[in-house]
């Protein structure tokens, strides 16, 4: 019967994990982090509004995710009217994303594309100190 108990314990752990994932209780961190998540989601929404108001921007989407599938990730997608605007808009979008008040922030992806044609996309691993140093040198300390 020990094998039955081992299966039951493993099965219970699997059911508990599945229940957490299905009920939305899948965020990382200590109790009280729902306030932090809400604040970060609001900061992402504010960033989206800021980017949508930039000259030449036709659409902007900003999403923040901090759960089992993506931990502390900021995704920024901006579409500009003309291909020539990608080169000048990308640094502005990168700066705004870096200075956005989402917290925690472990990774981010910034994409700027024209309505037609190809654009620029960059992934940032903010657990890499050199990446953090480079962004800090360009745009200053994160809030």
């Amino acid at each position: 019967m020990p094998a039955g108990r081992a299966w039951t314990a493993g099965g219970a752990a699997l059911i508990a994990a599945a229940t957490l994932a299905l009920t939305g209780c899948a965020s990382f961190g200590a109790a009280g982090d729902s306030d932090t998540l809400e604040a970060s989601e609001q900061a992402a929404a504010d960033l989206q509004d800021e980017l949508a108001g930039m000259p030449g921007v036709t659409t902007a989407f900003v999403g923040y995710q901090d759960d089992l599938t993506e931990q502390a990730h900021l995704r920024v997608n901006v579409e500009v009217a003309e291909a020539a605007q990608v080169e000048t808009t990308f640094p502005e979008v990168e700066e705004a994303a870096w200075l956005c008040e989402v917290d925690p922030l472990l990774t981010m992806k910034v994409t700027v594309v024209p309505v037609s044609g190809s654009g620029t996309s960059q992934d940032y691993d903010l657990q890499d100190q050199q990446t953090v140093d480079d962004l800090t040198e360009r745009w200053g300390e994160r809030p």
Side-chain angles (χ1 to χ4, degrees):
M1 291 299 173
R5 272 187 261 160
W7 182 88
T8 303
L14 180 61
I15 289 170
T19 301
L20 283 175
L22 292 174
T23 60
C25 298
S27 61
F28 292 94
D33 280 353
S34 65
D35 290 341
T36 301
L37 180 61
E38 288 176 19
S40 290
E41 288 172 342
Q42 183 59 54
D46 293 345
L47 176 60
Q48 180 171 306
D49 291 343
E50 176 187 340
L51 296 175
M54 289 175 59
V57 171
T58 58
T59 59
F61 171 79
V62 176
Y64 178 76
Q65 189 173 351
D66 191 10
D67 58 26
L68 287 175
T69 58
E70 195 73 55
Q71 190 176 9
H73 178 73
L74 182 67
R75 185 177 53 260
V76 180
N77 297 312
V78 171
E79 184 179 76
V80 292
E82 299 176 20
Q85 293 173 305
V86 170
E87 189 176 319
T88 57
T89 303
F90 187 87
E92 295 174 33
V93 174
E94 178 190 67
E95 176 184 17
W98 171 247
L99 296 176
C100 180
E101 293 187 358
V102 299
D103 183 48
L105 184 59
L106 299 178
T107 60
M108 67 180 190
K109 181 172 188 159
V110 175
T111 303
V112 178
V113 296
V115 172
S116 61
S118 61
T120 300
S121 185
Q122 178 70 45
D123 291 293
Y124 303 87
D125 177 0
L126 302 177
Q127 296 175 85
D128 175 62
Q129 192 58 49
Q130 185 61 53
T131 300
V132 171
D133 291 347
D134 291 347
L135 289 165
T136 301
E137 184 177 318
R138 278 197 299 277
W139 311 120
E141 292 286 331
R142 277 191 36 80

